[in-house]
PDB file of all heavy atoms in Angstrom:
ATOM      1  N   PRO A   1       0.808  -1.221  -0.001  1.00  0.00           N
ATOM      2  CA  PRO A   1       0.001   0.006   0.001  1.00  0.00           C
ATOM      3  C   PRO A   1       0.851   1.288   0.002  1.00  0.00           C
ATOM      4  O   PRO A   1       0.486   2.266  -0.640  1.00  0.00           O
ATOM      5  CB  PRO A   1      -0.824  -0.115   1.287  1.00  0.00           C
ATOM      6  CG  PRO A   1      -0.919  -1.583   1.538  1.00  0.00           C
ATOM      7  CD  PRO A   1       0.407  -2.139   1.077  1.00  0.00           C
ATOM      8  N   LEU A   2       1.991   1.258   0.703  1.00  0.00           N
ATOM      9  CA  LEU A   2       2.860   2.429   0.727  1.00  0.00           C
ATOM     10  C   LEU A   2       3.436   2.724  -0.657  1.00  0.00           C
ATOM     11  O   LEU A   2       3.449   3.874  -1.101  1.00  0.00           O
ATOM     12  CB  LEU A   2       3.986   2.251   1.742  1.00  0.00           C
ATOM     13  CG  LEU A   2       4.986   3.404   1.824  1.00  0.00           C
ATOM     14  CD1 LEU A   2       4.293   4.723   2.182  1.00  0.00           C
ATOM     15  CD2 LEU A   2       6.073   3.067   2.827  1.00  0.00           C
ATOM     16  N   LEU A   3       3.888   1.689  -1.360  1.00  0.00           N
ATOM     17  CA  LEU A   3       4.405   1.897  -2.711  1.00  0.00           C
ATOM     18  C   LEU A   3       3.301   2.376  -3.649  1.00  0.00           C
ATOM     19  O   LEU A   3       3.520   3.262  -4.487  1.00  0.00           O
ATOM     20  CB  LEU A   3       5.042   0.613  -3.248  1.00  0.00           C
ATOM     21  CG  LEU A   3       6.389   0.245  -2.640  1.00  0.00           C
ATOM     22  CD1 LEU A   3       6.850  -1.107  -3.171  1.00  0.00           C
ATOM     23  CD2 LEU A   3       7.421   1.318  -2.909  1.00  0.00           C
ATOM     24  N   ARG A   4       2.100   1.796  -3.506  1.00  0.00           N
ATOM     25  CA  ARG A   4       0.971   2.240  -4.344  1.00  0.00           C
ATOM     26  C   ARG A   4       0.677   3.714  -4.098  1.00  0.00           C
ATOM     27  O   ARG A   4       0.543   4.500  -5.034  1.00  0.00           O
ATOM     28  CB  ARG A   4      -0.275   1.404  -4.026  1.00  0.00           C
ATOM     29  CG  ARG A   4      -1.503   1.834  -4.830  1.00  0.00           C
ATOM     30  CD  ARG A   4      -2.792   1.394  -4.191  1.00  0.00           C
ATOM     31  NE  ARG A   4      -2.886   1.914  -2.839  1.00  0.00           N
ATOM     32  CZ  ARG A   4      -3.476   1.260  -1.835  1.00  0.00           C
ATOM     33  NH1 ARG A   4      -3.997   0.070  -2.032  1.00  0.00           N
ATOM     34  NH2 ARG A   4      -3.534   1.803  -0.640  1.00  0.00           N
ATOM     35  N   ASP A   5       0.601   4.110  -2.826  1.00  0.00           N
ATOM     36  CA  ASP A   5       0.299   5.497  -2.500  1.00  0.00           C
ATOM     37  C   ASP A   5       1.406   6.437  -2.970  1.00  0.00           C
ATOM     38  O   ASP A   5       1.134   7.540  -3.458  1.00  0.00           O
ATOM     39  CB  ASP A   5       0.055   5.667  -1.004  1.00  0.00           C
ATOM     40  CG  ASP A   5      -1.217   4.959  -0.536  1.00  0.00           C
ATOM     41  OD1 ASP A   5      -2.029   4.529  -1.390  1.00  0.00           O
ATOM     42  OD2 ASP A   5      -1.385   4.821   0.696  1.00  0.00           O
ATOM     43  N   THR A   6       2.645   6.000  -2.832  1.00  0.00           N
ATOM     44  CA  THR A   6       3.773   6.822  -3.293  1.00  0.00           C
ATOM     45  C   THR A   6       3.709   6.997  -4.805  1.00  0.00           C
ATOM     46  O   THR A   6       3.896   8.108  -5.316  1.00  0.00           O
ATOM     47  CB  THR A   6       5.109   6.183  -2.863  1.00  0.00           C
ATOM     48  OG1 THR A   6       5.108   6.018  -1.443  1.00  0.00           O
ATOM     49  CG2 THR A   6       6.290   7.061  -3.268  1.00  0.00           C
ATOM     50  N   ALA A   7       3.420   5.933  -5.524  1.00  0.00           N
ATOM     51  CA  ALA A   7       3.287   6.028  -6.978  1.00  0.00           C
ATOM     52  C   ALA A   7       2.118   6.936  -7.354  1.00  0.00           C
ATOM     53  O   ALA A   7       2.206   7.703  -8.316  1.00  0.00           O
ATOM     54  CB  ALA A   7       3.112   4.636  -7.587  1.00  0.00           C
ATOM     55  N   ARG A   8       1.031   6.889  -6.594  1.00  0.00           N
ATOM     56  CA  ARG A   8      -0.108   7.781  -6.858  1.00  0.00           C
ATOM     57  C   ARG A   8       0.289   9.245  -6.682  1.00  0.00           C
ATOM     58  O   ARG A   8      -0.101  10.105  -7.480  1.00  0.00           O
ATOM     59  CB  ARG A   8      -1.280   7.441  -5.934  1.00  0.00           C
ATOM     60  CG  ARG A   8      -2.003   6.186  -6.324  1.00  0.00           C
ATOM     61  CD  ARG A   8      -3.118   5.856  -5.358  1.00  0.00           C
ATOM     62  NE  ARG A   8      -3.863   4.691  -5.826  1.00  0.00           N
ATOM     63  CZ  ARG A   8      -4.730   4.035  -5.087  1.00  0.00           C
ATOM     64  NH1 ARG A   8      -4.991   4.422  -3.844  1.00  0.00           N
ATOM     65  NH2 ARG A   8      -5.365   2.992  -5.581  1.00  0.00           N
ATOM     66  N   VAL A   9       1.071   9.523  -5.651  1.00  0.00           N
ATOM     67  CA  VAL A   9       1.537  10.901  -5.433  1.00  0.00           C
ATOM     68  C   VAL A   9       2.401  11.350  -6.614  1.00  0.00           C
ATOM     69  O   VAL A   9       2.201  12.424  -7.178  1.00  0.00           O
ATOM     70  CB  VAL A   9       2.300  11.016  -4.088  1.00  0.00           C
ATOM     71  CG1 VAL A   9       3.061  12.335  -3.994  1.00  0.00           C
ATOM     72  CG2 VAL A   9       1.336  10.857  -2.918  1.00  0.00           C
ATOM     73  N   VAL A  10       3.359  10.519  -6.990  1.00  0.00           N
ATOM     74  CA  VAL A  10       4.259  10.859  -8.094  1.00  0.00           C
ATOM     75  C   VAL A  10       3.466  11.046  -9.388  1.00  0.00           C
ATOM     76  O   VAL A  10       3.664  12.016 -10.124  1.00  0.00           O
ATOM     77  CB  VAL A  10       5.348   9.775  -8.245  1.00  0.00           C
ATOM     78  CG1 VAL A  10       6.096   9.920  -9.568  1.00  0.00           C
ATOM     79  CG2 VAL A  10       6.318   9.834  -7.072  1.00  0.00           C
ATOM     80  N   GLU A  11       2.548  10.138  -9.664  1.00  0.00           N
ATOM     81  CA  GLU A  11       1.761  10.221 -10.902  1.00  0.00           C
ATOM     82  C   GLU A  11       0.881  11.471 -10.914  1.00  0.00           C
ATOM     83  O   GLU A  11       0.769  12.152 -11.935  1.00  0.00           O
ATOM     84  CB  GLU A  11       0.886   8.967 -11.062  1.00  0.00           C
ATOM     85  CG  GLU A  11       1.688   7.713 -11.212  1.00  0.00           C
ATOM     86  CD  GLU A  11       1.604   7.103 -12.596  1.00  0.00           C
ATOM     87  OE1 GLU A  11       0.698   7.443 -13.360  1.00  0.00           O
ATOM     88  OE2 GLU A  11       2.472   6.265 -12.882  1.00  0.00           O
ATOM     89  N   THR A  12       0.272  11.789  -9.789  1.00  0.00           N
ATOM     90  CA  THR A  12      -0.604  12.954  -9.712  1.00  0.00           C
ATOM     91  C   THR A  12       0.174  14.254  -9.889  1.00  0.00           C
ATOM     92  O   THR A  12      -0.258  15.143 -10.625  1.00  0.00           O
ATOM     93  CB  THR A  12      -1.357  12.967  -8.365  1.00  0.00           C
ATOM     94  OG1 THR A  12      -2.172  11.789  -8.288  1.00  0.00           O
ATOM     95  CG2 THR A  12      -2.236  14.198  -8.232  1.00  0.00           C
ATOM     96  N   LEU A  13       1.302  14.366  -9.215  1.00  0.00           N
ATOM     97  CA  LEU A  13       2.052  15.618  -9.241  1.00  0.00           C
ATOM     98  C   LEU A  13       2.918  15.799 -10.482  1.00  0.00           C
ATOM     99  O   LEU A  13       3.152  16.934 -10.909  1.00  0.00           O
ATOM    100  CB  LEU A  13       2.916  15.741  -7.991  1.00  0.00           C
ATOM    101  CG  LEU A  13       2.156  15.805  -6.671  1.00  0.00           C
ATOM    102  CD1 LEU A  13       3.129  15.895  -5.501  1.00  0.00           C
ATOM    103  CD2 LEU A  13       1.188  16.981  -6.652  1.00  0.00           C
ATOM    104  N   CYS A  14       3.392  14.714 -11.062  1.00  0.00           N
ATOM    105  CA  CYS A  14       4.355  14.824 -12.168  1.00  0.00           C
ATOM    106  C   CYS A  14       3.782  14.452 -13.534  1.00  0.00           C
ATOM    107  O   CYS A  14       4.362  14.816 -14.562  1.00  0.00           O
ATOM    108  CB  CYS A  14       5.580  13.947 -11.890  1.00  0.00           C
ATOM    109  SG  CYS A  14       6.439  14.393 -10.377  1.00  0.00           S
ATOM    110  N   ARG A  15       2.704  13.711 -13.562  1.00  0.00           N
ATOM    111  CA  ARG A  15       2.081  13.262 -14.815  1.00  0.00           C
ATOM    112  C   ARG A  15       3.099  12.637 -15.774  1.00  0.00           C
ATOM    113  O   ARG A  15       3.204  13.015 -16.940  1.00  0.00           O
ATOM    114  CB  ARG A  15       1.347  14.404 -15.511  1.00  0.00           C
ATOM    115  CG  ARG A  15       0.250  15.026 -14.705  1.00  0.00           C
ATOM    116  CD  ARG A  15      -0.916  14.105 -14.629  1.00  0.00           C
ATOM    117  NE  ARG A  15      -2.010  14.719 -13.869  1.00  0.00           N
ATOM    118  CZ  ARG A  15      -2.896  14.034 -13.230  1.00  0.00           C
ATOM    119  NH1 ARG A  15      -2.840  12.734 -13.232  1.00  0.00           N
ATOM    120  NH2 ARG A  15      -3.853  14.619 -12.578  1.00  0.00           N
ATOM    121  N   PRO A  16       3.869  11.650 -15.296  1.00  0.00           N
ATOM    122  CA  PRO A  16       4.897  11.048 -16.154  1.00  0.00           C
ATOM    123  C   PRO A  16       4.308  10.050 -17.144  1.00  0.00           C
ATOM    124  O   PRO A  16       3.195   9.554 -16.956  1.00  0.00           O
ATOM    125  CB  PRO A  16       5.785  10.314 -15.147  1.00  0.00           C
ATOM    126  CG  PRO A  16       4.827   9.905 -14.079  1.00  0.00           C
ATOM    127  CD  PRO A  16       3.836  11.055 -13.971  1.00  0.00           C
ATOM    128  N   GLU A  17       5.078   9.762 -18.183  1.00  0.00           N
ATOM    129  CA  GLU A  17       4.688   8.695 -19.100  1.00  0.00           C
ATOM    130  C   GLU A  17       4.903   7.342 -18.426  1.00  0.00           C
ATOM    131  O   GLU A  17       4.220   6.376 -18.725  1.00  0.00           O
ATOM    132  CB  GLU A  17       5.513   8.768 -20.403  1.00  0.00           C
ATOM    133  CG  GLU A  17       5.093   9.906 -21.337  1.00  0.00           C
ATOM    134  CD  GLU A  17       5.662  11.265 -20.939  1.00  0.00           C
ATOM    135  OE1 GLU A  17       6.691  11.320 -20.222  1.00  0.00           O
ATOM    136  OE2 GLU A  17       5.068  12.277 -21.351  1.00  0.00           O
ATOM    137  N   GLN A  18       5.892   7.265 -17.537  1.00  0.00           N
ATOM    138  CA  GLN A  18       6.230   6.049 -16.807  1.00  0.00           C
ATOM    139  C   GLN A  18       6.570   6.419 -15.375  1.00  0.00           C
ATOM    140  O   GLN A  18       7.099   7.507 -15.129  1.00  0.00           O
ATOM    141  CB  GLN A  18       7.488   5.384 -17.386  1.00  0.00           C
ATOM    142  CG  GLN A  18       7.282   4.670 -18.684  1.00  0.00           C
ATOM    143  CD  GLN A  18       6.839   3.229 -18.442  1.00  0.00           C
ATOM    144  OE1 GLN A  18       6.964   2.697 -17.354  1.00  0.00           O
ATOM    145  NE2 GLN A  18       6.327   2.612 -19.487  1.00  0.00           N
ATOM    146  N   THR A  19       6.290   5.519 -14.452  1.00  0.00           N
ATOM    147  CA  THR A  19       6.780   5.666 -13.086  1.00  0.00           C
ATOM    148  C   THR A  19       7.577   4.416 -12.778  1.00  0.00           C
ATOM    149  O   THR A  19       7.032   3.306 -12.776  1.00  0.00           O
ATOM    150  CB  THR A  19       5.628   5.835 -12.088  1.00  0.00           C
ATOM    151  OG1 THR A  19       4.922   7.032 -12.400  1.00  0.00           O
ATOM    152  CG2 THR A  19       6.149   5.942 -10.666  1.00  0.00           C
ATOM    153  N   TYR A  20       8.883   4.597 -12.568  1.00  0.00           N
ATOM    154  CA  TYR A  20       9.752   3.470 -12.232  1.00  0.00           C
ATOM    155  C   TYR A  20       9.675   3.219 -10.727  1.00  0.00           C
ATOM    156  O   TYR A  20       9.675   4.158  -9.936  1.00  0.00           O
ATOM    157  CB  TYR A  20      11.205   3.771 -12.577  1.00  0.00           C
ATOM    158  CG  TYR A  20      11.530   3.918 -14.047  1.00  0.00           C
ATOM    159  CD1 TYR A  20      12.777   4.349 -14.439  1.00  0.00           C
ATOM    160  CD2 TYR A  20      10.598   3.626 -15.041  1.00  0.00           C
ATOM    161  CE1 TYR A  20      13.108   4.485 -15.769  1.00  0.00           C
ATOM    162  CE2 TYR A  20      10.924   3.763 -16.372  1.00  0.00           C
ATOM    163  CZ  TYR A  20      12.187   4.198 -16.742  1.00  0.00           C
ATOM    164  OH  TYR A  20      12.508   4.333 -18.065  1.00  0.00           O
ATOM    165  N   VAL A  21       9.640   1.960 -10.344  1.00  0.00           N
ATOM    166  CA  VAL A  21       9.726   1.555  -8.950  1.00  0.00           C
ATOM    167  C   VAL A  21      10.873   0.541  -8.894  1.00  0.00           C
ATOM    168  O   VAL A  21      10.747  -0.557  -9.424  1.00  0.00           O
ATOM    169  CB  VAL A  21       8.406   0.935  -8.442  1.00  0.00           C
ATOM    170  CG1 VAL A  21       8.547   0.494  -6.992  1.00  0.00           C
ATOM    171  CG2 VAL A  21       7.250   1.929  -8.595  1.00  0.00           C
ATOM    172  N   CYS A  22      11.988   0.987  -8.300  1.00  0.00           N
ATOM    173  CA  CYS A  22      13.224   0.191  -8.344  1.00  0.00           C
ATOM    174  C   CYS A  22      13.837   0.072  -6.964  1.00  0.00           C
ATOM    175  O   CYS A  22      13.930   1.049  -6.233  1.00  0.00           O
ATOM    176  CB  CYS A  22      14.249   0.850  -9.252  1.00  0.00           C
ATOM    177  SG  CYS A  22      13.608   1.239 -10.875  1.00  0.00           S
ATOM    178  N   MET A  23      14.318  -1.127  -6.636  1.00  0.00           N
ATOM    179  CA  MET A  23      14.977  -1.350  -5.361  1.00  0.00           C
ATOM    180  C   MET A  23      16.479  -1.124  -5.519  1.00  0.00           C
ATOM    181  O   MET A  23      17.088  -1.575  -6.478  1.00  0.00           O
ATOM    182  CB  MET A  23      14.736  -2.771  -4.885  1.00  0.00           C
ATOM    183  CG  MET A  23      15.276  -2.990  -3.495  1.00  0.00           C
ATOM    184  SD  MET A  23      15.524  -4.720  -3.103  1.00  0.00           S
ATOM    185  CE  MET A  23      17.072  -5.015  -3.905  1.00  0.00           C
ATOM    186  N   TRP A  24      17.057  -0.423  -4.546  1.00  0.00           N
ATOM    187  CA  TRP A  24      18.505  -0.202  -4.482  1.00  0.00           C
ATOM    188  C   TRP A  24      18.965  -0.574  -3.089  1.00  0.00           C
ATOM    189  O   TRP A  24      18.323  -0.245  -2.112  1.00  0.00           O
ATOM    190  CB  TRP A  24      18.832   1.276  -4.745  1.00  0.00           C
ATOM    191  CG  TRP A  24      18.376   1.773  -6.084  1.00  0.00           C
ATOM    192  CD1 TRP A  24      17.180   2.348  -6.368  1.00  0.00           C
ATOM    193  CD2 TRP A  24      19.096   1.734  -7.310  1.00  0.00           C
ATOM    194  NE1 TRP A  24      17.112   2.672  -7.685  1.00  0.00           N
ATOM    195  CE2 TRP A  24      18.286   2.314  -8.293  1.00  0.00           C
ATOM    196  CE3 TRP A  24      20.360   1.267  -7.655  1.00  0.00           C
ATOM    197  CZ2 TRP A  24      18.688   2.437  -9.617  1.00  0.00           C
ATOM    198  CZ3 TRP A  24      20.752   1.401  -8.977  1.00  0.00           C
ATOM    199  CH2 TRP A  24      19.922   1.972  -9.945  1.00  0.00           C
TER     200      TRP A  24
END
C-alpha cells in the first residue's frame, strides 16, 4: 500500500509517461 500510494503521489504531481519503482 505504501508503494501504491507513493506512486499515486508521483503520478498525480508529475504526470509522467512512466513511473519506475526500483529497489537499491
Side-chain angles (χ1 to χ4, degrees):
L2 178 59
L3 287 175
R4 179 201 57 214
D5 293 348
T6 303
R8 285 178 176 168
V9 167
V10 167
E11 297 249 343
T12 298
L13 297 179
C14 300
R15 300 287 182 207
E17 286 80 22
Q18 285 273 344
T19 297
Y20 293 172
V21 179
C22 308
M23 186 200 80
W24 300 91

